[in-house]
Amino acid sequence: MATSTNVQQETPPAPRAPKRKYNQRVRDRISGYLYISPFFLLFGVFGMFPLIFTAYLSFHKWNILGEREFIGFANYVGLFTNDPLFWKSVGNTFSIWALSTIPQLFVALILAFILNQAFLKGKSLFRLAVFMPNVTSIVAVTIVFSAIFGTQYGIINYVLSMIGIDPVNWKGSYFGTHVAISLMVMWRWVGYNTIIYLAGLQSIPKDLYEAATIDGATKVQQFFYITIPMVRPIIIFTVLLSSIGGMQVFTEPLIFGAGSESQGLTMTLYLYQEAFERFSFGYAAAIAWVLFLIIILVSLLNMFLTKRIKSA
C-alpha cells in the first residue's frame, strides 16, 4: 500500500532585521542639536555663568580673598541712596552718549550718502579710509587724542590761540572732558556705521533717484525724502547698537583720565574702580546689574520711539 509522503518541510524563519532604537526623524533632530551645541556650551560658560554669578555676588560682601558674606540687598540700597559718585557716573555716561552717538550717526549717514554717489572716484579707497579707525587700537587712539587735547601743548588749544580764543582746560572741566571723550568715540565708530549705511543705500533702486532727478529734486531733497525713509530699518539697528555701546564707554575715560571732579567717570569705569582698585566685588556686581537694567530700559525706549516714528 502506497503511503502518502506529503511531508511539508518547514522553512526556517527569515532573520529579523535588528530593531533600530531611534527612527530617522529622531536621529536627524539629535544630530541637529549636536551641531549647534558648541555655541550653547560656550554661551553657557562665558555668557550665562558670569551673569548668574554676578547676580549672586551682588548680594554679598567680598574682597576676592576672604569669605563671602551674605548682606542681602545692602549693596543695592547703598547704591541708590548713599552713593552720589554712582549717580555722577550715570550722568556722565548719558552726557557722553548724547554728545557722541547722535552726531556720530548723522555724520555716518551723510558720509554713506556721499560714498554712494556715482560721480565719486576711488570709492574703495574712501571706504577703507573711513573704516580704518574702527580697527585701530583704542588705547593708541586715546593716547593720540590725549596729546591733541593737551592743555599746554595740544594742537586744539594751539589752533584756538591762533584765532584769539583762550585755551581750554580739556582735562579739568566737564565740557572739555565730555567733548574730548565724545570725539574719541565718534572717530572710532563713524566709519563702522558708515559702512552699514552704505550697504543699505546700495539696496535702494536707482530708479527712484533717477525719477527724482528728472522731477527736479535736489540732492538734499533726495537725501531726506528717499534715502532716509528707505534705510529707516538700518537706522533703527544702528541706533540700538550705538546706544548699547555708548552705555559701556570704558577705555577712553580710563586712558584720558576721569578728572579731578570725576567729570569723566562713566558707569563701566566706576564698576572697574570698585572691583579692581577698592576690591569691593559685591558692590561692583551690583553696579553691573544696575547697568544691565539701564541698558535694557534704554533699548526698550529706543524701540518704542523708533516704532512711533515708523508708524507716523
Side-chain angles (χ1 to χ4, degrees):
M1 184 174 68
T3 61
S4 174
T5 59
N6 296 331
V7 178
Q8 294 183 348
Q9 296 182 351
E10 294 182 357
T11 56
R16 292 182 179 179
K19 187 178 181 181
R20 293 182 176 179
K21 192 174 182 180
Y22 303 108
N23 58 31
Q24 186 63 37
R25 189 176 179 182
V26 174
R27 287 191 296 174
D28 289 343
R29 288 184 177 180
I30 293 175
S31 63
Y33 285 118
L34 288 176
Y35 278 122
I36 62 174
S37 60
F39 165 77
F40 288 100
L41 288 174
L42 292 175
F43 177 73
V45 172
F46 298 104
M48 287 304 297
F49 174 73
L51 196 66
I52 296 171
F53 187 66
T54 304
Y56 168 76
L57 271 186
S58 67
F59 297 105
H60 292 76
K61 183 179 180 182
W62 188 40
N63 63 356
I64 206 173
L65 294 177
E67 293 184 357
R68 289 186 288 270
E69 178 186 354
F70 181 76
I71 56 174
F73 286 92
N75 285 329
Y76 291 98
V77 173
L79 195 63
F80 285 106
T81 62
N82 193 27
D83 192 351
L85 198 56
F86 169 72
W87 293 110
K88 179 177 282 189
S89 71
V90 173
N92 292 337
T93 303
F94 275 92
S95 174
I96 293 171
W97 169 79
L99 287 173
S100 61
T101 301
I102 298 173
Q104 169 196 146
L105 296 178
F106 192 69
V107 171
L109 191 56
I110 294 175
L111 285 176
F113 182 74
I114 295 172
L115 290 176
N116 197 41
Q117 298 303 307
F119 64 83
L120 186 67
K121 304 298 181 185
K123 292 181 180 179
S124 299
L125 178 63
F126 286 113
R127 291 170 188 169
L128 177 65
V130 298
F131 193 74
M132 279 297 290
N134 188 256
V135 298
T136 309
S137 167
I138 308 177
V139 176
V141 171
T142 309
I143 292 174
V144 171
F145 270 82
S146 298
I148 292 174
F149 284 98
T151 303
Q152 299 295 330
Y153 305 104
I155 298 174
I156 302 294
N157 277 345
Y158 176 73
V159 173
L160 291 177
S161 66
M162 291 179 67
I163 57 177
I165 299 176
D166 293 334
V168 178
N169 186 7
W170 298 101
K171 294 187 176 181
S173 64
Y174 274 87
F175 171 78
T177 304
H178 287 199
V179 168
I181 294 175
S182 301
L183 285 176
M184 294 178 209
V185 176
M186 281 185 61
W187 192 82
R188 184 160 183 255
W189 291 105
V190 162
Y192 177 84
N193 289 312
T194 299
I195 297 301
I196 293 178
Y197 287 144
L198 186 60
L201 290 177
Q202 290 177 346
S203 66
I204 300 175
K206 301 296 183 186
D207 300 345
L208 295 177
Y209 291 106
E210 293 174 0
T213 304
I214 293 173
D215 290 339
T218 63
K219 290 294 182 184
V220 176
Q221 290 173 323
Q222 292 177 19
F223 177 75
F224 283 104
Y225 295 106
I226 296 177
T227 303
I228 291 182
M230 294 297 290
V231 297
R232 185 173 292 163
I234 300 175
I235 293 175
I236 295 172
F237 172 73
T238 54
V239 167
L240 283 175
L241 277 187
S242 302
S243 300
I244 294 172
M247 294 291 110
Q248 303 177 68
V249 175
F250 171 72
T251 308
E252 292 86 351
L254 176 69
I255 304 298
F256 186 75
S260 58
E261 298 181 1
S262 301
Q263 67 269 16
L265 185 69
T266 59
M267 286 188 283
T268 49
L269 182 58
Y270 185 48
L271 186 157
Y272 169 81
Q273 290 178 349
E274 287 294 329
F276 298 101
E277 293 182 2
R278 305 184 185 94
F279 301 105
S280 301
F281 282 84
Y283 199 69
I287 296 173
W289 262 90
V290 172
L291 173 62
F292 176 64
L293 295 177
I294 288 175
I295 290 175
I296 289 178
L297 289 176
V298 170
S299 300
L300 291 176
L301 179 63
N302 273 327
M303 291 179 65
F304 172 76
L305 291 176
T306 49
K307 283 184 178 178
R308 290 293 299 270
I309 294 172
K310 186 177 181 180
S311 61

